[in-house]
Amino acid sequence: MRRDNEFRYSRLAHILREQIMSGFIKPGEYLLSENELCKYYGLSRTSVRKSLEQLQKEGLIVKKVGQGTIVSPDLVISPSERRTLRILTNAPSYFVDNCLGTIIDAFQTKFPHVDVKLLTFPSWNYWDSMMTSIELGQPPDLVLMTDRHFAHPDRADSFLDLREHLDDLLGELYPRVVEPFREGNVQPAIPVTFSPVYLAYNPELFARYGVEEPRAGWTKEELIEAARKLTVDQDRDGITDLYGMSLSSFLNRWPVIALQNGVKFDESTDRSAVVDTLNFFHDVVYKQRIATLYHSSRSTSNAGAFLREKAAMVLTTSIEIAGWRNENMPFEAKVAPLPFGPVKSTLLVANTFMVHKECQDRELALAFLRTTLDHKLQTRLARETGFLSCIPEVNEAVWDATRLASLNIANRQIENGYFLHELLGDLNVLEELEAEMELYWGGLESAESFADRMIRILSNKS
């Protein structure tokens, strides 16, 4: 864990250093407070303080007692004579941590005269940070974002239509992954990695407690029975310290179970399908007590029980699993087919690139995207990190058919996958639904009661 902690604080130091050297935070201006840096970048206070100490040693910042930390008023930034490609990224990001460095190295092998600069901002105010950067006269050339960021209402008009420039590349990708990032005839975003949300399990725990591992065609009843056997008071102190499942109340996870039960997430949604879905969560969490529930959107929170071998199964993605491996996951997780309902559907997540219309070097930005989606590089990333490629040929070369079938992306299975912004529309609907579910997730509102409000929100989303 020591190396991981060192990586975390050096990464934040790099993020803040780039914000300072790019002029986003100017000499004499205040940085975020230590508390805010902890919250927005998902770090401990120790890691944040080590990051600031590093920048202070470099002469980039000055601590003012009782006031905060400012960029050194005497700092002078000399302009570079080399060409620069500016990429805006969000934090935390497993794709940035595990893949982007390899892509940049491959790009700079082709373009050794180019400096690639990453300007990284926390996800919560990502779009506002981008607009501020543009107003300062430093528009990004490329913007890396998640599918959830794509739900922002101002996304389309500010970005190039990539179909005009990269139509040959788009034709190589899964159509189901590309189409949701198209608006009319305009393709403002191109996905560079994606994943279905799937069920991962710890085979060592299954073996330890004599539980048969999931197989093709297993049922929801069999999942519940397995979870029951895997819910154990291991040290016999009267407190359960191993649960069959770890579930999340965040909207990028639980809708998978709703989709499998036939919930349409629009005005045609059948009320009984909604009630069945909501009752499932209350049943396994509060009645049978065979699942633990996390209420945080932070991936590290969702990982906590599973990584520490305190939960045997978890809804996750290949993106998240790749990040967990980097956090010293002590076992090799396996993929289980989703058994939650009769509809073989799932949720999709993705990382996408967009080219801003104000970018200062369109040629380099497009060349970077071509490098990213090169078949050999995509194959290397898939083998080394476990990330799924948006190119079917790459996935079929790296993984066997059984694994791809369990992920619901073999043959035409992927046609039954949906991105969150397809199901719910813009951020206002996402935020309203999350806010309205607070009492339900706390076990303080029945499935029957909340189902009516959920259907009202879905019916009014247009």
Side-chain angles (χ1 to χ4, degrees):
M1 291 300 293
R2 182 182 176 189
R3 287 185 62 189
D4 185 53
N5 290 334
E6 289 174 353
F7 169 73
R8 289 173 182 273
Y9 88 75
S10 62
R11 180 178 59 188
L12 178 60
H14 177 72
I15 288 171
L16 297 176
R17 188 184 299 111
E18 286 297 323
Q19 290 182 8
I20 293 169
M21 298 305 292
S22 69
F24 184 82
I25 310 176
K26 299 184 181 300
E29 291 184 347
Y30 282 90
L31 274 63
L32 293 173
S33 69
E34 288 187 7
N35 284 338
E36 290 171 323
L37 290 171
C38 290
K39 176 181 177 182
Y40 298 142
Y41 291 98
L43 298 173
S44 67
R45 185 175 292 275
T46 298
S47 294
V48 167
R49 286 180 174 171
K50 285 185 177 181
S51 299
L52 297 178
E53 288 171 4
Q54 179 62 40
L55 296 178
Q56 190 172 20
K57 289 177 183 178
E58 296 172 14
L60 295 179
I61 62 172
V62 176
K63 291 189 175 183
K64 299 177 73 70
V65 179
Q67 299 181 49
T69 304
I70 64 170
V71 177
S72 176
D74 301 325
L75 182 65
V76 177
I77 302 172
S78 302
S80 173
E81 296 181 0
R82 292 165 57 85
R83 293 175 72 183
T84 301
L85 182 71
R86 294 181 175 85
I87 304 178
L88 197 70
T89 69
N90 62 288
S93 169
Y94 287 134
F95 181 78
V96 172
D97 295 343
N98 294 277
C99 294
L100 196 53
T102 301
I103 296 170
I104 291 172
D105 289 343
F107 175 76
Q108 290 186 313
T109 298
K110 297 179 182 179
F111 299 90
H113 57 289
V114 176
D115 290 328
V116 178
K117 300 291 186 182
L118 301 184
L119 193 58
T120 303
F121 298 106
S123 294
W124 71 277
N125 70 339
Y126 193 54
W127 282 87
D128 290 340
S129 299
M130 180 180 69
M131 295 308 299
T132 301
S133 181
I134 294 169
E135 290 167 3
L136 291 171
Q138 299 167 348
D141 297 300
L142 285 163
V143 179
L144 176 67
M145 65 177 62
T146 65
D147 58 281
R148 179 154 181 172
H149 286 129
F150 189 78
H152 195 281
D154 299 328
R155 61 182 180 257
D157 294 342
S158 302
F159 299 93
L160 292 184
D161 180 5
L162 295 177
R163 196 167 60 169
E164 295 180 0
H165 306 278
L166 303 171
D167 193 49
D168 57 320
L169 289 183
L170 291 167
E172 297 179 347
L173 312 184
Y174 292 101
R176 176 84 281 268
V177 177
V178 172
E179 289 164 1
F181 299 97
R182 183 178 299 154
E183 298 189 332
N185 294 321
V186 177
Q187 185 80 45
I190 185 169
V192 291
T193 187
F194 87 103
S195 177
V197 174
Y198 61 86
L199 188 66
Y201 68 96
N202 182 336
E204 296 178 13
L205 290 176
F206 274 72
R208 183 183 306 168
Y209 291 98
V211 181
E212 183 182 357
E213 290 189 25
R215 67 191 188 287
W218 75 321
T219 65
K220 181 170 67 175
E221 290 70 28
E222 288 174 317
L223 173 140
I224 290 173
E225 178 62 16
R228 184 186 64 77
K229 293 177 179 177
L230 289 161
T231 300
V232 181
D233 173 10
Q234 297 181 105
D235 56 9
R236 299 181 181 181
D237 65 351
I239 299 174
T240 300
D241 49 13
L242 170 63
Y243 283 90
M245 286 183 287
S246 173
L247 298 172
S248 170
S249 64
F250 198 48
L251 269 167
N252 65 1
R253 292 292 180 269
W254 73 262
V256 170
I257 297 174
L259 285 169
Q260 293 228 317
N261 279 287
V263 176
K264 301 292 185 182
F265 288 92
D266 60 23
E267 63 277 0
S268 70
T269 287
D270 179 65
R271 185 178 186 276
S272 63
V274 175
V275 171
D276 286 347
T277 300
L278 298 176
N279 272 328
F280 170 80
F281 284 103
H282 273 186
D283 186 39
V284 297
V285 174
Y286 294 110
K287 294 180 181 178
Q288 299 193 54
R289 299 183 183 275
I290 57 175
T292 181
L293 182 67
Y294 281 100
H295 301 282
S296 172
S297 63
R298 286 178 53 189
S299 296
T300 50
S301 294
N302 188 41
F306 190 66
L307 277 179
R308 292 173 175 79
E309 300 185 90
K310 298 296 184 180
M313 294 178 279
V314 66
L315 285 171
T316 185
T317 67
S318 61
I319 297 170
E320 196 169 45
I321 287 285
W324 294 351
R325 286 197 188 101
N326 197 48
E327 295 175 13
N328 303 315
M329 187 164 66
F331 57 91
E332 186 62 33
K334 289 187 176 181
V335 181
L338 293 171
F340 297 104
V343 182
K344 299 307 175 185
S345 185
T346 189
L347 201 64
L348 301 175
V349 298
N351 287 285
T352 71
F353 270 116
M354 305 174 81
V355 180
H356 202 276
K357 287 182 177 179
E358 299 293 326
C359 79
Q360 298 178 354
D361 204 323
R362 183 178 301 184
E363 175 190 351
L364 282 181
L366 295 172
F368 189 89
L369 293 181
R370 288 193 175 277
T371 299
T372 302
L373 290 169
D374 175 78
H375 280 230
K376 289 184 178 180
L377 182 58
Q378 285 281 307
T379 301
R380 176 186 170 190
L381 290 172
R383 292 189 188 282
E384 291 181 356
T385 69
F387 275 71
L388 287 171
S389 174
C390 295
I391 304 171
E393 291 180 12
V394 171
N395 291 333
E396 290 162 7
V398 175
W399 290 287
D400 61 41
T402 300
R403 181 181 177 86
L404 296 180
S406 294
L407 291 172
N408 286 302
I409 62 173
N411 301 319
R412 299 186 62 84
Q413 288 175 299
I414 195 172
E415 299 299 323
N416 294 319
Y418 299 92
F419 288 97
L420 197 58
H421 68 270
E422 292 183 278
L423 298 178
L424 296 176
D426 66 32
L427 291 174
N428 292 329
V429 177
L430 301 178
E431 292 168 358
E432 180 181 5
L433 190 55
E434 285 181 330
E436 288 287 333
M437 295 189 77
E438 184 176 353
L439 289 177
Y440 163 76
W441 286 123
L444 302 175
E445 182 175 15
S446 70
E448 291 279 349
S449 173
F450 180 71
D452 294 325
R453 291 215 312 287
M454 178 173 166
I455 291 171
R456 174 183 56 78
I457 293 171
L458 297 177
S459 298
N460 294 335
K461 72 179 182 179
S462 59

